[in-house]
Amino acid sequence: MTEELRLALVVSDTPKAMAAAEVMADEHPWVPLQEADVVVVLGGDGFMLTVLHRMLDAGRVIPAYGLNHGTVGFMMNKPKSTKPIATRVAKASKLAVAPLEMTCTTWAGETQHFYAINEVSLLRETRQTAKIEISVNGKVRLAELACDGILVATPAGSTAYNLSANGPILPMGSGILALTPISPFRPRRWKGAIIKDNATVEFRVLEPDKRPVAAVADQKEVRDIAHVRVAAHRDHMLTLLFDRHSSLDERIFAEQFQV
């Protein structure tokens, strides 16, 4: 990268991020997002996900460099530095992230497509336990899972909802996905699976009228689903930029040793 890169500045609506944007306003000749080579994102992980989804939906994806003005900042860089923002972006290391594509069909026969960077999750809508059939690459692997739900997590999302559901932490670049049940009831001993990231996972909701299920791709929800298909979408690879020695893959690896 060079310092001639055209940078756009996108800011969360939180007071902390907006205050930081005022300080940075004159630091660089910012351009509109549609003209930029790189987007600089001020906010937290949730806002970074929002920006990445906006680019996926618009069909124009450029590298994203985040500055943490949120809480955890797993996908972000430290906000303070003595180096100009253009220099930080120019020297940043790249990390490729393959989003998931969720294709779901509702009871009414409507089909919708959404992308997920962290995970696709299926969740029961009522007090009734969900019953879900699970297939991988066209083969039924679990005829009936009684549960609160189930999710498919990417390495980038493996330390989020997936970890809270007792799923495994996946190193970036490992080429695998986590298939993690949420409060499974039957079969009791099934703790989930690790599958290759080129696999296609399908879920069929059993007894959907009695046991309705919603599907969620990060922040996008579809209710009353009958069938969900999940596969990696490599035609729209995302690129996250990190300062050296502070990349997402190192943070995810280090998370395995937290006590």
Side-chain angles (χ1 to χ4, degrees):
M1 291 187 180
T2 68
E3 294 191 16
E4 286 73 32
L5 287 173
R6 296 170 297 173
L7 306 182
L9 185 66
V10 178
V11 185
S12 169
D13 60 3
T14 64
K16 187 177 178 181
M18 290 189 290
E22 289 183 9
V23 175
M24 296 180 64
D26 298 326
E27 186 176 339
H28 189 82
W30 307 104
V31 301
L33 181 59
Q34 60 269 25
E35 300 175 10
D37 301 308
V38 175
V39 57
V40 176
V41 180
L42 304 189
D45 290 327
F47 186 63
M48 172 62 86
L49 285 175
T50 297
V51 172
L52 295 174
H53 277 285
R54 287 175 185 170
M55 292 194 292
L56 284 169
D57 293 342
R60 183 175 186 266
V61 177
I62 60 176
Y65 178 91
L67 291 174
N68 186 30
H69 293 284
T71 305
V72 179
F74 234 71
M75 306 175 77
M76 317 298 279
N77 295 282
K78 293 180 179 179
K80 294 183 179 181
S81 174
T82 57
K83 298 178 181 178
I85 187 63
T87 301
R88 294 181 71 178
V89 172
K91 293 184 177 182
S93 58
K94 297 180 179 180
L95 182 66
V97 176
L100 300 174
E101 183 178 26
M102 176 184 82
T103 303
C104 57
T105 305
T106 66
W107 304 350
E110 180 184 3
T111 299
Q112 297 189 51
H113 303 268
F114 293 110
Y115 297 111
I117 298 160
N118 278 350
E119 75 277 319
V120 169
S121 54
L122 277 68
L123 305 166
R124 65 184 175 97
E125 295 180 13
T126 68
R127 61 181 179 81
Q128 292 281 2
T129 300
K131 290 189 176 181
I132 300 170
E133 178 192 85
I134 304 169
S135 299
V136 180
N137 293 333
K139 182 177 181 179
V140 175
R141 291 293 182 178
L142 202 57
E144 181 179 294
L145 173 67
C147 57
D148 280 356
I150 188 168
L151 60 85
V152 183
T154 67
S158 66
T159 58
Y161 190 8
N162 172 72
L163 184 59
S164 298
N166 297 314
I169 295 175
L170 307 177
M172 295 297 297
S174 58
I176 54 179
L177 302 171
L179 188 58
T180 303
I182 302 168
S183 300
F185 179 66
R186 288 283 190 275
R188 287 191 183 276
R189 295 186 180 180
W190 192 68
K191 302 300 182 183
I194 293 175
I195 60 177
K196 292 183 178 180
D197 65 0
N198 61 357
T200 297
V201 185
E202 294 180 87
F203 304 102
R204 186 169 67 89
V205 178
L206 308 177
E207 303 178 38
D209 54 339
K210 179 181 179 182
R211 306 172 186 273
V213 173
V216 184
D218 285 348
Q219 303 151 335
K220 304 286 183 67
E221 180 184 47
V222 181
R223 297 180 70 83
D224 299 339
I225 59 165
H227 181 271
V228 175
R229 178 182 181 275
V230 180
H233 190 67
R234 301 185 185 282
D235 292 340
H236 290 84
M237 293 290 291
L238 300 168
T239 302
L240 298 178
L241 302 178
F242 292 94
D243 296 330
R244 294 182 181 180
H245 310 301
S246 64
S247 66
L248 180 61
D249 50 352
E250 169 58 27
R251 296 173 193 176
I252 289 176
F253 183 77
E255 190 75 13
Q256 298 179 87
F257 298 91
Q258 297 295 321
V259 295

